[in-house]
Amino acid sequence: MTAKPPRIATIGVYCFTAETFIETLQAAEVRLLVDVRQRRGVRGPQFAWANAQRLQRLLADASIAYSHHLELAPTTELRQLQYREDDRNKVGKRSREVLAPEYARRYTEEILDPAPLEPVLDELRASGPPALFCVECAAAACHRSLLAERLAERYGLAVAHLGPPRQRLPAA
């Protein structure tokens, strides 16, 4: 029997309530949430639970460790590049499905290529199954997918993009 490769998950805010977020992390046996946001706040009262201090309390109550890696977050300039592309395509940040090719290229060259990933990998391995965290619902619409892909390619990790729970249908 072949051993499974170590895995890393990714997860975003916009698909979840606080309760379903924690349930999804627990179901995936995540032990460390790695926040790769530049700004650790989320607009809108429905997502207030994901602002840094509230999120850290929520995670602590669920026995999930937290770390923030600002060096892996996109710069303001890169975020603005993506927002301009969103405007051009008439898509909102919360409904974006994919990253702009120029954004992906520049994030890779400017952030990922020079980033020392070994310390991050050591942290991931020491804590148990991790999840990379940002805000977009679709992993392909977020830089966390580029980071997860790099970790998978370089270190042989399997990647699981965690999505929202299936909506429960009302009883007939």
Side-chain angles (χ1 to χ4, degrees):
M1 181 154 129
T2 307
K4 287 184 187 177
R7 77 173 164 79
I8 188 165
T10 77
I11 192 166
V13 169
Y14 292 149
C15 298
F16 298 95
T17 64
E19 181 180 297
T20 61
F21 183 79
I22 293 297
E23 288 172 358
T24 300
L25 291 174
Q26 289 173 329
E29 299 178 350
V30 168
R31 298 288 169 254
L32 170 67
L33 190 77
V34 180
D35 191 338
V36 293
R37 298 177 292 174
Q38 180 190 41
R39 295 181 355 203
R40 295 186 299 155
V42 184
R43 290 185 181 164
Q46 72 270 36
F47 301 115
W49 59 268
N51 293 328
Q53 290 181 350
R54 290 178 184 161
L55 175 64
Q56 289 174 63
R57 282 192 301 270
L58 186 69
L59 292 167
D61 290 346
S63 299
I64 299 171
Y66 171 90
S67 72
H68 180 234
H69 282 274
L70 181 59
E71 75 278 12
L72 298 173
T75 62
T76 300
E77 179 186 353
L78 282 175
R79 288 182 21 251
Q80 293 302 321
L81 183 156
Q82 182 63 57
Y83 297 156
R84 285 190 302 275
E85 186 69 10
D86 292 345
D87 289 345
R88 192 178 72 72
N89 290 318
K90 296 180 174 59
V91 63
K93 179 179 179 179
R94 293 183 186 179
S95 58
R96 179 189 320 132
E97 296 285 325
V98 296
L99 290 170
E102 179 68 5
Y103 173 95
R105 182 190 67 75
R106 287 192 51 199
Y107 176 80
T108 299
E109 290 175 1
E110 296 171 21
I111 307 295
L112 277 183
D113 288 348
L117 295 179
E118 290 77 15
V120 176
L121 183 68
D122 291 343
E123 178 184 29
L124 302 181
R125 287 181 173 154
S127 299
L132 301 173
F133 169 70
C134 198
V135 296
E136 289 82 5
C137 183
C142 181
H143 73 286
R144 72 181 187 270
S145 66
L146 301 174
L147 174 56
E149 182 179 304
R150 173 65 58 93
L151 290 167
E153 288 172 358
R154 193 170 284 175
Y155 304 108
L157 302 176
V159 177
H161 299 295
L162 304 178
R166 295 178 189 247
Q167 290 194 349
R168 294 179 183 96
L169 298 174

